[in-house]
Amino acid sequence: MVGTKIRQTKEALFTILRDLRPDDHFNIIGFSNRIKVWQPNELVKVTSNNIRDAKKFIFGLSPTGGTNINGGIQVASDLLNHYLANNGKHEKSVSLIIFLTDGRPTDGEIESSRILGNTKNAIQEKFCLFSIGIGNDVDFHLLEKLSLENCGMMRRISEDEDAALQLKGFYDEIGTPLLSDIRISYPENSVEYITQNMFYNYFNGSEIVVAGKLVNQSSDILHVEIKASNSNKYVILEADIKIDGAGQNEITGSEIFEDSKEYRNHIERLWGYLTFKELLTGWHKSDSDVQKEAITRKASKLAVKYNFVTPFTLLEVKDHGFQADFPKEESTSLYTEGIGQKLLTLQGKKVTQGSPSELISKNKQSISTTSADGDPHFVVDFPLSKLTVCFNIDGEPGHILRLVSDHKNSGVTVNGELIGAPAPPNGHKKQRTYFSRITIIINKPRRIYIEVTPAKVILDGRDRLILTCDKSATVKNDELMVSISAQSNVTITIQGTISFVILVHRYKNPAPFQRNHLGFYISNSKGLSNNSHGLLGQFLYNEVKVSNVTMRTTGQTKRPFSNVVNMLKVRNRSIPVIRKQRKLYNGLHQVDCWFAKNNAEKLIDGVYEDYLVSHLFDCGNDLITNEI
C-alpha cells in the first residue's frame, strides 16, 4: 500500500473518525506482515484527545510489506469479543468492524476459504463486518463474502477517486442502530413466497422491505408481528394492517407504461426484484458450482419473467420505441426514486426515436477556444473584439481553482483540482501541473454534483450514477445532458443554454513528466450571466483592445531609447502582451493569441490566491465578482 492508496486509506480513516459519536468506543489496527494495534487490549471512548492521538497513529502508518488479512480480522474480533464480555451490550448500540484493504492476502493465512471460516468462527454472529476495498488489486470476491457472511456490506473505492467523498455518509448509515435481530412474521397460511423476513440490524435512516403473496386475496386485514431486541430488551409489535384495494383496483404495469399490457402488478415486480437480490447474494456466498448453477437457472427464469437486465441475462433490443443497453452506446435516466422506480428504469424508458449516437450528434455544440488545458494553459476568446488572449497559471499540486462561478444567477460553478508532475529535462519550470479532477455544481432548479476524472464521471443528484470514460454513453433529463465519447471527451449541457466540453487525456506509456489529466472548454455560455466570474468566467462578456504603446526606457549606457510595446486593455487595466500560438484539442487546432505573462497579473481580477477554494464542491461566495 503505497502512493495514492495509502493516501486514500488515511483519508477514509479520517472520514470515519470524523463521523464517530461521543458515546462510541473504538480502536485502530494496522495489518501488513505484522499486526500493529493502536491501543492494545481495549476499545477507548471517543474524546477530543483520543481522536487527536488516533490521527497521529494514522499519520504514522507506513507500508512494511505483506497483507495479513486473516490476522487483522482475528485481532479485531478478539478486541470486540473481550469488550463485549466485560461490558455487555449497551442500549441502542451495535458492534462492528470496518475493514479497509487495498490488496489480497499475502501474509499469514492466504487461503480464502480458511479466512472465511476463521472469520465466521471469530465473529459468531455477535457483530458485523463492513469491508472497504481500495484500488483495483483487491480480492473483491473475498471481501464481498466476508461481509455477506457476517451481516455487513462492501464498498469499493477506485484508485483515482476521493476516498473521503466516496465514504461520505457511510458511517451515518451504520452508526445509529435502533433494533437488532428483527423478525417479521405472519399468521400461518396467510402469506406465501415471502422474501427475507429476518434481519440482523435496523439502523436509523434505513428501511426494511418484505414482499410476498396473500393466500386469501379477498381478505382486507393482514396480521403482522415484529419481534426485535434493543440491548437486553425484547420488543414485540403487533398490528392488523388494513389492505387498501384488496382484490380490486389493482395498479398494473399497463397503467404505468402506455400500450404495455404485458407488465405485471408493480408490487409483484418488487417481489421479483427482492427475490432476485436474495438469489444473487446466495450465489456470491456459495462455494459449490452445482449450487451456483441451480441459483443461476432460478435467477435467470425470474429475470426473464419480469424483464430484468441482470448479470445472468441479456436484453434484446427491438424497435418498439424503447431503449435499453446498446453494444457501444448507453442512455439512461438520471434520476430514480426508490426501489419501485429502479424497477421501472431497469425495463427501459420511452425515448425519442433515434440511437444514442444520433442523439449525441444532434446535441453537439460548436466549441469555442475559451479553455484551460495542459499545464494548464488558459485561452480566452473575445468574439466581439475578434481577439484571443492566453495566459498560464503556475499553481501548486492539490490547489483547487475556481474556473467559472455564476451560482447566484444560473446556479453553475466549475472547479478544477491540480495534480503535479516533474518538469521535462532542460525545462525552465521546476514542475508541471494538470487538472486531475473537474467538478460542476448546479444549484438551480435542484442541486446536482458532477465530478469528472480521466477514468469516470460521477453524477450525484437524487440518486448516484457512475459512468466510465471508456464507453460512450448519454444521460439526460429535462434539465441536464451528459454525453461521453469513449476515451475522448465528456460534454455537459445545462438547460440547453450552457455547455462545457471536458477533454480526457490518457497515456498508455506516460513519460515521467506526463499525467492523465483533463482539459476544460466552454462550448456555450449563453446561459451564464454577465456577473459570471472565475479564472475563465470573468471574461465571457468583456471586450478587449490591443494597441502599440511607445515606452521610453534607459539602457545600460544610461541613454534613453524608445521601445514599442503591445498593450492589452481590459476592464480599465493595461497589460503588456506578446504574440504566441496555442494548440488546442490534443494539437488538432491551433490559435494565435496575445499572451500575458507573470501568472496573468493585472489581466485577472485580484491575484491568483483569490481563485483558490477549499474543496471541489465549494460554490460559496466569491472573494471577487463582476457585480457592481
Side-chain angles (χ1 to χ4, degrees):
M1 183 178 283
V2 294
T4 302
K5 290 182 180 178
I6 191 70
R7 175 182 59 80
Q8 287 180 301
T9 301
K10 291 180 179 181
E11 285 178 2
L13 288 169
F14 291 143
T15 300
I16 293 168
L17 282 180
R18 186 170 59 248
D19 288 339
L20 291 175
R21 281 78 182 260
D23 292 332
D24 292 340
H25 291 71
F26 73 105
N27 204 337
I28 303 170
I29 300 157
F31 55 94
S32 50
N33 55 358
R34 62 190 182 94
I35 309 298
K36 189 176 181 181
V37 183
W38 170 52
Q39 296 290 342
N41 305 321
E42 65 173 337
L43 299 183
V44 300
K45 188 175 174 61
V46 172
T47 65
S48 57
N49 288 339
N50 284 338
I51 294 294
R52 181 199 61 203
D53 293 343
K55 288 181 178 179
K56 289 181 181 178
F57 176 78
I58 294 169
F59 272 120
L61 289 175
S62 59
T64 57
T67 306
N68 191 348
I69 288 178
N70 184 74
I73 295 176
Q74 293 301 305
V75 171
S77 301
D78 290 344
L79 276 171
L80 270 179
N81 280 318
H82 177 74
Y83 178 83
L84 293 173
N86 290 306
N87 297 277
K89 275 191 174 183
H90 295 284
E91 187 174 349
K92 291 188 179 180
S93 72
V94 66
S95 300
L96 53 92
I97 296 172
I98 301 177
F99 172 63
L100 299 91
T101 183
D102 77 323
R104 302 168 181 269
T106 61
D107 203 274
E109 180 57 69
I110 62 173
E111 198 67 42
S112 294
S113 59
R114 291 179 182 171
I115 294 173
L116 290 166
N118 293 342
T119 301
K120 205 164 186 178
N121 290 334
I123 290 178
Q124 295 180 352
E125 298 185 357
K126 294 179 182 177
F127 40 86
C128 299
L129 186 146
F130 296 83
S131 303
I132 299 171
I134 298 176
N136 301 320
D137 302 325
V138 182
D139 186 345
F140 287 112
H141 182 63
L142 173 61
L143 295 195
E144 195 158 35
K145 291 192 74 171
L146 279 170
S147 296
L148 289 174
E149 291 185 358
N150 296 282
C151 71
M153 62 182 179
M154 186 196 72
R155 283 281 183 93
R156 299 186 182 198
I157 299 177
S158 296
E159 195 167 338
D160 62 339
E161 290 181 346
D162 185 330
L165 183 67
Q166 294 298 300
L167 289 176
K168 183 181 178 183
F170 169 73
Y171 191 75
D172 287 337
E173 295 178 27
I174 60 176
T176 308
L178 301 178
L179 296 170
S180 59
D181 301 324
I182 304 105
R183 181 185 180 92
I184 302 172
S185 56
Y186 311 90
E188 191 175 355
N189 300 323
S190 64
V191 296
E192 58 184 353
Y193 307 123
I194 62 169
T195 58
Q196 179 185 350
N197 64 331
M198 296 181 64
F199 304 88
Y200 285 104
N201 294 297
Y202 174 60
F203 297 102
N204 187 32
S206 66
E207 65 178 3
I208 289 177
V209 180
V210 181
K213 182 179 180 181
L214 289 170
V215 173
N216 182 5
Q217 296 192 23
S218 62
S219 174
D220 58 355
I221 294 292
L222 177 65
H223 184 77
V224 182
E225 181 180 88
I226 301 175
K227 293 182 179 179
S229 63
N230 182 340
S231 184
N232 294 321
K233 302 174 184 177
Y234 287 96
V235 178
I236 300 178
L237 303 173
E238 291 189 74
D240 289 321
I241 306 299
K242 185 178 179 181
I243 305 172
D244 292 329
Q248 57 181 351
N249 298 327
E250 291 182 342
I251 302 174
T252 63
S254 59
E255 291 177 74
I256 301 172
F257 291 95
E258 293 181 15
D259 305 322
S260 303
K261 296 179 181 179
E262 71 271 20
Y263 292 103
R264 292 168 176 80
N265 181 293
H266 72 287
I267 297 297
E268 183 180 337
R269 287 175 54 75
L270 172 60
W271 170 85
Y273 174 75
L274 294 173
T275 303
F276 179 85
K277 283 182 65 178
E278 292 175 20
L279 289 170
L280 189 60
T281 298
W283 188 91
H284 281 298
K285 292 170 71 172
S286 175
D287 291 318
S288 167
D289 291 338
V290 175
Q291 189 178 25
K292 280 191 170 185
E293 183 62 32
I295 292 173
T296 300
R297 286 196 301 270
K298 191 172 182 180
S300 298
K301 288 181 181 179
L302 198 66
V304 170
K305 180 178 180 180
Y306 293 106
N307 299 319
F308 296 155
V309 182
T310 75
F312 303 130
T313 57
L314 295 173
L315 181 66
E316 181 182 359
V317 180
K318 293 184 178 179
D319 187 16
H320 291 310
F322 281 81
Q323 176 178 310
D325 281 340
F326 286 77
K328 294 183 180 179
E329 309 280 356
E330 293 179 329
S331 181
T332 181
S333 173
L334 175 58
Y335 298 120
T336 54
E337 297 185 29
I339 292 176
Q341 183 63 31
K342 286 177 180 173
L343 281 171
L344 303 183
T345 55
L346 282 173
Q347 193 64 51
K349 183 180 179 182
K350 199 159 189 176
V351 297
T352 306
Q353 291 289 337
S355 68
S357 55
E358 289 171 346
L359 292 172
I360 293 172
S361 62
K362 287 178 183 178
N363 288 279
K364 278 187 176 177
Q365 306 282 342
S366 59
I367 302 175
S368 78
T369 55
T370 301
S371 59
D373 204 346
D375 189 11
H377 302 311
F378 287 75
V379 178
V380 180
D381 186 32
F382 293 91
L384 296 177
S385 307
K386 297 182 179 180
L387 289 176
T388 303
V389 177
C390 49
F391 59 94
N392 294 345
I393 290 293
D394 297 325
E396 294 293 328
H399 279 181
I400 301 171
L401 309 183
R402 176 65 48 79
L403 301 177
V404 176
S405 177
D406 193 30
H407 57 90
K408 289 184 179 179
N409 297 283
S410 66
V412 174
T413 302
V414 182
N415 300 322
E417 182 177 31
L418 297 176
I419 188 174
N426 304 318
H428 65 282
K429 286 188 173 184
K430 293 182 180 179
Q431 66 176 356
R432 285 185 165 191
T433 52
Y434 305 94
F435 285 117
S436 63
R437 288 190 292 174
I438 289 174
T439 54
I440 299 171
I441 304 99
I442 306 168
N443 284 331
K444 298 177 181 180
R446 69 188 81 190
R447 180 67 65 92
I448 302 172
Y449 299 100
I450 305 171
E451 179 181 356
V452 182
T453 75
K456 63 186 63 179
V457 180
I458 303 171
L459 294 92
D460 266 320
R462 289 181 183 171
D463 205 7
R464 185 176 181 81
L465 185 63
I466 301 177
L467 301 170
T468 176
C469 291
D470 291 328
K471 191 174 182 181
S472 296
T474 303
V475 173
K476 66 173 186 171
N477 65 6
D478 294 337
E479 304 150 6
L480 175 70
M481 184 173 81
V482 178
S483 298
I484 300 175
S485 178
Q487 301 180 354
S488 176
N489 62 73
V490 179
T491 302
I492 292 117
T493 304
I494 304 162
Q495 300 282 359
T497 59
I498 302 170
S499 290
F500 304 125
V501 176
I502 299 174
L503 294 193
V504 177
H505 303 280
R506 285 159 66 172
Y507 304 92
K508 288 185 177 179
N509 300 298
F513 53 85
Q514 292 176 322
R515 296 287 186 272
N516 292 341
H517 65 280
L518 303 170
F520 175 74
Y521 292 76
I522 299 179
S523 171
N524 182 1
S525 60
K526 289 180 181 178
L528 294 171
S529 75
N530 292 337
N531 291 324
S532 299
H533 212 271
L535 285 167
L536 289 174
Q538 63 186 292
F539 300 113
L540 293 177
Y541 295 95
N542 281 275
E543 294 187 43
V544 296
K545 183 180 180 181
V546 175
S547 56
N548 296 329
V549 177
T550 301
M551 308 286 290
R552 296 186 61 83
T553 59
T554 302
Q556 292 181 352
T557 61
K558 297 186 179 180
R559 292 182 180 179
F561 66 93
S562 298
N563 184 29
V564 178
V565 178
N566 295 309
M567 299 295 290
L568 175 77
K569 189 169 184 180
V570 57
R571 297 164 69 90
N572 298 320
R573 297 190 295 268
S574 294
I575 308 102
V577 291
I578 60 174
R579 291 295 280 174
K580 271 200 174 187
Q581 287 187 331
R582 279 279 186 257
K583 291 183 177 181
L584 305 175
Y585 315 124
N586 288 318
L588 297 177
H589 185 52
Q590 186 168 283
V591 296
D592 295 319
C593 61
W594 292 102
F595 178 72
K597 299 180 179 179
N598 302 324
N599 230 27
E601 184 180 355
K602 293 185 179 180
L603 174 65
I604 60 175
D605 291 337
V607 295
Y608 165 74
E609 287 75 13
D610 293 330
Y611 298 87
L612 299 181
V613 296
S614 59
H615 58 85
L616 276 165
F617 296 98
D618 186 315
C619 59
N621 294 326
D622 292 303
L623 296 174
I624 48 179
T625 70
N626 272 344
E627 294 180 11
I628 300 174

